Amino acid sequence: MAVEWTITIEGKNEFGDVCRKAVRIDKSWERLFDGGIGLSIEDGKTIMTALQSAVVAHEAETYSLFRRVCPDCQTFRPVKDYTSRRIRTVFGTVEVRNPRWLLCRDCYPGMDGAFAPLKEICPDRATPELLELSARLGSMMPYRQAAKVLAEFLPIEPTETYATVRKRTIRIGERLDDQIARETWKARAQADDRSQLELQLPGDRCKEFVISIDTAYVRSADPNAARSFELVVARCGRGGRGDPGGRYFVTGSTAQQAIRDRALHTLEGVGYRGYGDVTVISDGAEVLKRVPRAMPKPTTHIIDWFHIAMKIQPMQQIANHIARSQPSPIEALPTIDRDIRAVKWRLWHGRVDRAIGDLERLLTNLQGSTQINEFSIARLHSLGLQLLTYIRSNRGAIVDYGKRHRAGLRVATTLAESAVNSLVGKRMVKKQQMRWSLHGANMLMQVRTAEANGELRNRLRAPFRQPEVNVPPLFKPQPPLLHAA
């Protein structure tokens, strides 16, 4: 025993043409005993494939007829030829008739040109929605898994493999990268003009624009290159602790000018117009020290307090262990814990010179101590030398962290660390046994960044505007009055 369902769709365009499409679904009662109640995924694929075929064919025919009308003389353009065009959609591939129209002979005499109207609304032979969905899934999960998800829930062809998902993701990333490159020129000009657009109030923590920047290491697929390469990851925003973090940006170029341009472009999205206090917070990496010098003034560079504290923490633990393990006081050891805490306190309050002096005296005492626990003393001395080198190389970027903390301002690269983890780590590094090329990783990160900023769909829809006549403006006919003028 079976039940037959018939679904009919009817469409009517502005020209009065009517299109009908019927879809038949057979449901057998035996499926109920297997738990097959209602429509299955395969039934849904069949329905949506049929409906999509009818809708796309009808829209393509209507748009082609609309573009055949010459906008100047309101007559039909001559026909060049008729071909077929396959359009890939999220609900299957549809083959439609693809006409090509010649230019109007009355309006453009002597010009022999033709154009395909369907190429204007679907230049990639795939709808923007399918490209966006493929790129979004490809940026969130491995390409093979993304292709399996598409094939599981959508009526797509077997040719939609992981290679197709990878190519679409990289292609979308290249488009986004080109858009940002064009917009960067505008941001650079505004930064050079330095026009004030807002009134800054004393004590307003929102007047500061903060760039939390860090680097992420990705395994390289090039056997002739290094084992890994760097991606610069940053988050730009304004406000203090607890406020929204702002917008992301990722770039595969470690050049000073490239990072500066991306930072200015991202700051423009949060209200920066070339005027205001800019603060760059980093971990002191050499590739990131060049960024503050290239930014518009005033720009302040701050070393992340978290990295300083994490270099002092193991020294405190070793000192506590030494103090607890000794049955009797030793000549130089009782003051080690207190001296380390003093160094940390002075660094927290920005007293770099006194912190360096205290650390040098501490290292001198440790070097002259030959008591028991020589391994702990040697380890403590090694960590102290590393901390001293780190402070000396970044002494100009160590500020009064206590004052900034009391004012509600940021003192750590927490936003950059979370950005590295969410954008790069989950897709490329952690639990992913894969290697990447620099170009592929950079383009993939452009898609993930646009998705994290909530602008992926708007950026992909931006190039689709009202189509213009495919004729150079020089040859467009002008009214007689304009000729006379």
Side-chain angles (χ1 to χ4, degrees):
M1 185 177 181
V3 178
E4 180 180 302
W5 291 87
T6 303
I7 303 174
T8 305
I9 182 173
E10 178 178 317
K12 184 177 182 181
N13 60 10
E14 298 178 355
F15 302 99
D17 299 333
V18 178
C19 177
R20 291 185 180 87
K21 185 72 174 181
V23 184
R24 191 180 66 179
I25 300 296
D26 296 330
K27 294 281 294 181
S28 62
W29 286 98
E30 287 77 9
R31 291 177 54 185
L32 293 177
F33 299 99
D34 297 333
I37 185 172
L39 296 176
S40 63
I41 295 180
E42 296 300 327
D43 295 335
K45 291 181 180 181
T46 303
I47 295 173
M48 296 310 302
T49 300
L51 299 185
Q52 185 78 312
S53 177
V55 173
V56 172
H58 196 253
E59 289 180 343
E61 184 178 355
T62 303
Y63 184 78
S64 299
L65 185 59
F66 166 75
R67 291 292 287 141
R68 188 179 181 183
V69 178
C70 178
D72 298 318
C73 62
Q74 305 300 320
T75 59
F76 281 146
R77 293 185 172 105
V79 179
K80 171 70 174 179
D81 56 15
Y82 287 96
T83 59
S84 61
R85 186 180 182 91
R86 292 169 60 86
I87 300 179
R88 299 179 181 271
T89 69
V90 292
F91 297 122
T93 302
V94 182
E95 185 172 352
V96 297
R97 191 171 69 162
N98 182 34
R100 289 196 297 171
W101 310 131
L102 293 169
L103 297 179
C104 183
R105 297 174 181 175
D106 296 332
C107 299
Y108 304 96
M111 296 186 63
D112 187 14
F115 67 96
L118 295 185
K119 191 176 181 180
E120 299 172 349
I121 59 176
C122 191
D124 299 306
R125 297 183 182 271
T127 59
E129 184 180 13
L130 180 59
L131 296 178
E132 176 189 349
L133 182 60
S134 301
R136 179 182 285 112
L137 292 179
S139 65
M140 295 172 55
M141 60 185 68
Y143 296 128
R144 291 182 183 272
Q145 187 175 355
K148 290 180 180 179
V149 171
L150 289 174
E152 181 71 22
F153 297 100
L154 298 178
I156 61 176
E157 293 186 345
T159 55
E160 302 283 336
T161 61
Y162 72 94
T164 304
V165 176
R166 181 180 64 240
K167 292 178 181 178
R168 287 176 179 171
T169 305
I170 295 178
R171 189 185 311 162
I172 294 299
E174 292 173 349
R175 293 182 183 179
L176 296 174
D177 192 64
D178 293 339
Q179 289 182 6
I180 295 176
R182 292 192 297 266
E183 296 172 0
T184 299
W185 290 95
K186 180 181 177 182
R188 185 185 307 171
Q190 289 179 347
D192 295 338
D193 292 342
R194 298 180 57 83
S195 58
Q196 182 177 356
L197 299 181
E198 60 182 10
L199 178 63
Q200 297 187 11
L201 301 178
D204 183 13
R205 66 180 188 177
C206 291
K207 71 177 183 179
E208 182 185 43
F209 295 88
V210 181
I211 304 176
S212 298
I213 191 168
D214 199 358
T215 55
Y217 289 91
V218 181
R219 296 188 184 94
S220 177
D222 188 1
N224 299 323
R227 295 182 58 184
S228 59
F229 55 86
E230 287 183 320
L231 293 177
V232 179
V233 185
R235 196 170 185 184
C236 305
R238 60 194 313 179
R241 302 190 317 273
D243 294 335
R247 297 166 59 84
Y248 300 88
F249 82 84
V250 181
T251 177
S253 175
T254 57
Q256 177 181 355
Q257 192 69 21
I259 302 177
R260 172 187 181 270
D261 292 343
R262 286 302 178 98
L264 290 177
H265 174 265
T266 309
L267 286 176
E268 183 185 10
V270 295
Y272 182 73
R273 296 297 183 271
Y275 186 91
D277 299 332
V278 180
T279 301
V280 180
I281 305 179
S282 70
D283 59 356
E286 292 297 329
V287 71
L288 303 179
K289 288 183 179 180
R290 303 189 295 262
V291 180
R293 295 192 293 265
M295 295 293 295
K297 305 303 178 184
T299 298
T300 304
H301 183 210
I302 297 178
I303 291 297
D304 173 34
W305 171 251
F306 176 78
H307 284 79
I308 298 178
M310 287 298 100
K311 292 181 180 298
I312 301 177
Q313 184 66 22
M315 298 179 61
Q316 290 182 339
Q317 294 175 351
I318 294 177
N320 294 334
H321 171 71
I322 293 176
R324 291 193 305 266
S325 62
Q326 299 306 317
S328 60
I330 302 179
E331 184 176 344
L333 294 180
T335 62
I336 291 180
D337 182 67
R338 184 180 59 190
D339 294 342
I340 295 176
R341 293 181 183 274
V343 171
K344 184 177 181 180
W345 186 90
R346 299 189 192 285
L347 291 175
W348 173 255
H349 291 282
R351 303 178 183 180
V352 185
D353 295 334
R354 297 191 62 180
I356 291 177
D358 292 346
L359 189 57
E360 289 177 345
R361 286 191 295 271
L362 175 61
L363 293 177
T364 301
N365 295 334
L366 292 176
Q367 190 174 7
S369 177
T370 58
Q371 306 291 338
I372 58 176
N373 291 322
E374 294 184 359
F375 177 78
S376 299
I377 295 297
R379 179 59 178 166
L380 189 60
H381 186 271
S382 175
L383 293 175
L385 285 177
Q386 297 177 14
L387 177 61
L388 181 61
T389 304
Y390 186 78
I391 295 175
R392 284 176 174 174
S393 60
N394 299 287
R395 62 186 306 167
I398 299 177
V399 298
D400 191 343
Y401 298 99
K403 182 179 179 180
R404 286 183 59 88
H405 186 271
R406 291 188 297 270
L409 301 177
R410 296 188 175 102
V411 296
T413 57
T414 308
L415 298 176
E417 298 288 344
S418 63
V420 170
N421 183 53
S422 60
L423 294 180
V424 183
K426 292 184 178 180
R427 181 64 177 90
M428 293 184 173
V429 180
K430 296 181 180 179
K431 298 181 181 179
Q432 300 293 340
Q433 301 298 326
M434 57 184 68
R435 297 183 179 272
W436 300 83
S437 64
L438 178 58
H439 177 73
N442 188 23
M443 295 303 104
L444 177 65
M445 284 297 103
Q446 303 310 314
V447 179
R448 286 184 66 88
T449 303
E451 177 66 19
N453 292 331
E455 59 182 12
L456 178 60
R457 175 164 298 183
N458 293 334
R459 286 192 172 276
L460 294 182
R461 296 296 192 274
F464 291 91
R465 295 293 184 266
Q466 185 68 22
E468 304 213 355
V469 182
N470 297 341
V471 179
L474 179 64
F475 299 99
K476 288 186 178 181
Q478 302 292 336
L481 292 180
L482 292 180
H483 274 302

